[in-house]
Amino acid sequence: MDSTFDRLKIGEKFFNSRLMLGTGKYQNMDAAVNSIAASECEIVTVAIRRLPTNLNNDSTSFFNHLDWTKHWLLPNTAGSQTAEEAIRMAFLGHELACQIGQEDNFFVKLEVISDPKYLLPDPIGTLKAAEFLVKKGFTVLPYINADPMLALHLEDLGCATVMPLGSPIGSGQGLNNLSNIKIIIENSNIPVIIDAGIGFPSEASKAMELGADGVLLNTAVSQSKNPERMAQAMNFAVKSGRLAYLAGPMTKKLYASPSSPMNQFSNF
């Protein structure tokens, strides 16, 4: 399948890949850079708090070893406990994007997490920050619980996507919120990106088969025994799940149906 005929649109920008990759928890810089390459992802998300304020003075950062003409930076506000902190991080994220030549990049992955134990997103803080940032011209991708009503409110505010979690960040528990995720996908008029909790390629594929528009993951790759191979597996899984969704799976039946009927062209 030629991905150019099935591109992902976020805000006013188009992407061929529907897999987004994070950059934390890798053992070394080479592992991060090679995994990003193997994943064929275009969107790379980076926690603003982990980056120096002046990238040009840090030659050891993997940030300076990626080709930013081929990748799109998605700054994230990880570590922000309040809407105000997240807003500050969003503006810093844009400044860093400018340093790599992406002056038109106002993307932000909005995370407001006040719960230090379970790392669940704060819906009130997220709404507050999203409303402010949208008005300031940011392309806001909010990370949320799998809450269908919250997703609708964020869409109404003008967010470019909604990013419901499959399960808690870094847990590898998979898609524990399937029923709510299905409702969000069904009701959404903006892309739905499944973010957090995916541990296996089969789970990434399942998310895409349900009709999700993309998958964002990190720990499943960075903490695997061979991150580069896992990144490639996730790439194949997302593509496979998307193709299956577009193909339109067969309808489940209560009883068996012969796969070799008397009339080979029969639908019965």
Side-chain angles (χ1 to χ4, degrees):
M1 180 181 67
D2 185 348
S3 61
T4 59
F5 292 101
D6 180 42
R7 295 193 296 171
L8 171 63
K9 183 182 181 185
I10 299 178
E12 298 302 318
K13 194 165 180 65
F14 289 89
F15 302 93
N16 293 322
S17 174
R18 292 175 178 270
L19 173 62
M20 308 174 189
L21 210 58
T23 54
K25 300 182 180 179
Y26 286 93
Q27 291 187 359
N28 53 61
M29 180 181 66
D30 286 342
V33 173
N34 293 338
S35 296
I36 290 169
S39 74
E40 296 184 339
C41 73
E42 293 169 281
I43 297 178
V44 177
T45 184
V46 180
I48 300 308
R49 291 178 183 273
R50 290 196 295 108
L51 292 175
T53 55
N54 191 334
L55 296 173
N56 296 325
N57 294 334
D58 187 8
S59 61
T60 63
S61 172
F62 82 94
F63 210 80
N64 291 318
H65 291 264
L66 291 179
D67 184 350
W68 291 107
T69 64
K70 297 180 180 178
H71 296 99
W72 189 250
L73 175 64
L74 176 57
N76 75 60
T77 65
S80 299
Q81 297 185 349
T82 66
E84 290 74 20
E85 287 182 37
I87 289 167
R88 286 196 296 272
M89 288 297 106
F91 279 92
L92 285 174
H94 174 63
E95 291 179 16
L96 289 171
C98 290
Q99 291 186 39
I100 58 172
Q102 296 182 4
E103 290 82 2
D104 60 336
N105 185 346
F106 284 88
F107 275 47
V108 59
K109 182 191 173 192
L110 177 60
E111 296 185 24
V112 181
I113 299 176
S114 55
D115 162 34
K117 182 176 182 179
Y118 298 103
L119 300 179
L120 296 173
D122 177 354
I124 306 302
T126 300
L127 274 171
K128 182 179 178 181
E131 183 174 18
F132 181 89
L133 291 170
V134 167
K135 289 179 179 178
K136 292 297 182 179
F138 280 84
T139 301
V140 181
L141 293 75
Y143 169 62
I144 63 171
N145 287 300
D147 182 337
M149 294 311 301
L150 177 60
L152 287 176
H153 286 308
L154 288 164
E155 180 178 333
D156 288 342
L157 286 178
C159 290
T161 72
V162 286
M163 306 182 76
L165 57 81
S167 53
I169 293 174
S171 68
Q173 294 177 21
L175 303 174
N176 287 350
N177 302 295
L178 272 180
S179 57
N180 279 13
I181 288 173
K182 288 178 181 178
I183 294 172
I184 292 172
I185 291 171
E186 181 181 348
N187 290 335
S188 181
N189 294 305
I190 55 177
V192 177
I193 312 296
I194 305 305
D195 180 11
I198 286 178
F200 290 88
S202 57
E203 294 159 357
S205 186
K206 178 66 174 178
M208 299 303 294
E209 290 171 10
L210 292 174
D213 296 280
V215 166
L216 190 152
L217 52 87
N218 183 177
T219 309
V221 171
S222 64
Q223 294 295 285
S224 65
K225 293 180 180 179
N226 189 319
E228 188 173 346
R229 284 187 176 179
M230 185 60 77
Q232 188 176 27
M234 290 296 184
N235 178 27
F236 292 152
V238 169
K239 288 179 177 178
S240 175
R242 178 64 178 177
L243 190 57
Y245 171 74
L246 294 176
M250 64 170 285
T251 303
K252 289 184 179 181
K253 300 176 182 178
L254 184 60
Y255 302 105
S257 177
S259 58
S260 300
M262 295 299 293
N263 180 351
Q264 69 178 106
F265 299 111
S266 171
N267 290 322
F268 303 98

